[in-house]
Amino acid sequence: MRPKEFDIDPANVSLTGFASNVTGAAFTLTANDSGDGLAHQVSIRNDSATDHAGKTITLVGTDADGHALTEVVTGPGTSATVESAGYFKTLTSATPSATIGTDTFDIGWVDEVSTQTIPLDWTSVVGAAINVDVTGTINFTVQETFDPVQVVGQSAVQNVQWLAITALTTKTADTTGAATVGATAIRLVVNSYTDTAEIQMNVNQPTAR
């Protein structure tokens, strides 16, 4: 593969980014993405003293690669916040299993972020070299997979097994590492960050066999 450069500039955390003070039996979103082109975990904050943990909220949208993504999240308890396990690039709806009455929820995104899947040349005898340059305060992990991410019908983010690359796990500064020979793809996951932090990742893999 030719050398590739990725600029990762996550949007500021916003607990009300998708909607503020939704109520009743149907939630109306005021935005459908964070505006940064990345996939974020979704937060649901309970503004009330009522425990809504017995309910669920169904999130519908797309993942980092644009595939359809649906997740059912347990409702938040008293004055609590819950987060999705999946990373949503877009969120088109959030539907409660039962009305929350006159109580209100806030729906937004947090500081866990995933890039799109980046395919590698798995036939190369050399693993892809990866260099990450950090600006600001940010914690990241680069993951790899050996699953067939480019098989038609395979949703790369949702259905494959992602493994952290040891040399690129929970790092907070400029770091260089390499994917394992035979890996089919990588992605960068941001574990946490402060406002204005960003990352530039360069990937270079010789095609010699």
Side-chain angles (χ1 to χ4, degrees):
M1 62 179 288
R2 294 181 178 178
K4 294 183 179 180
E5 181 178 293
F6 301 88
D7 288 312
I8 301 154
D9 185 9
N12 294 344
V13 172
S14 175
L15 297 182
T16 59
F18 291 121
S20 176
N21 294 325
V22 294
T23 191
F27 298 161
T28 299
L29 304 180
T30 55
N32 297 115
D33 61 69
S34 66
D36 60 10
L38 300 169
H40 293 248
Q41 289 182 318
V42 175
S43 63
I44 303 170
R45 180 173 60 185
N46 180 2
D47 299 323
S48 76
T50 306
D51 186 351
H52 290 284
K55 302 179 177 68
T56 60
I57 297 93
T58 300
L59 304 176
V60 178
T62 57
D63 65 18
D65 295 325
H67 298 279
L69 176 60
T70 297
E71 181 178 342
V72 179
V73 180
T74 299
T78 301
S79 302
T81 300
V82 296
E83 297 179 10
S84 66
Y87 298 90
F88 285 78
K89 183 176 181 179
T90 64
L91 184 68
T92 54
S93 67
T95 306
S97 59
T99 182
I100 62 172
T102 58
D103 294 334
T104 61
F105 287 177
D106 297 320
I107 305 173
W109 54 83
V110 290
D111 58 356
E112 289 91 2
V113 178
S114 174
T115 68
Q116 76 273 29
T117 300
I118 302 166
L120 301 176
D121 179 4
W122 64 271
T123 64
S124 175
V125 296
V126 181
I130 303 164
N131 178 71
V132 181
D133 181 62
V134 170
T135 300
T137 301
I138 194 164
N139 183 300
F140 69 91
T141 295
V142 179
Q143 300 174 331
E144 63 184 357
T145 184
F146 296 85
D147 288 339
V149 298
Q150 298 191 73
V151 172
V152 175
Q154 178 89 1
S155 175
V157 169
Q158 298 171 48
N159 298 334
V160 307
Q161 181 184 26
W162 289 103
L163 305 168
I165 298 174
T166 301
L168 293 162
T169 299
T170 58
K171 300 300 181 180
T172 58
D174 298 354
T175 311
T176 298
T180 306
V181 173
T184 57
I186 60 171
R187 69 176 183 178
L188 185 145
V189 173
V190 175
N191 306 308
S192 64
Y193 63 93
T194 58
D195 294 352
T196 73
E198 59 184 80
I199 283 177
Q200 183 180 77
M201 180 171 70
N202 293 281
V203 183
N204 187 7
Q205 183 179 28
T207 57
R209 294 174 172 83

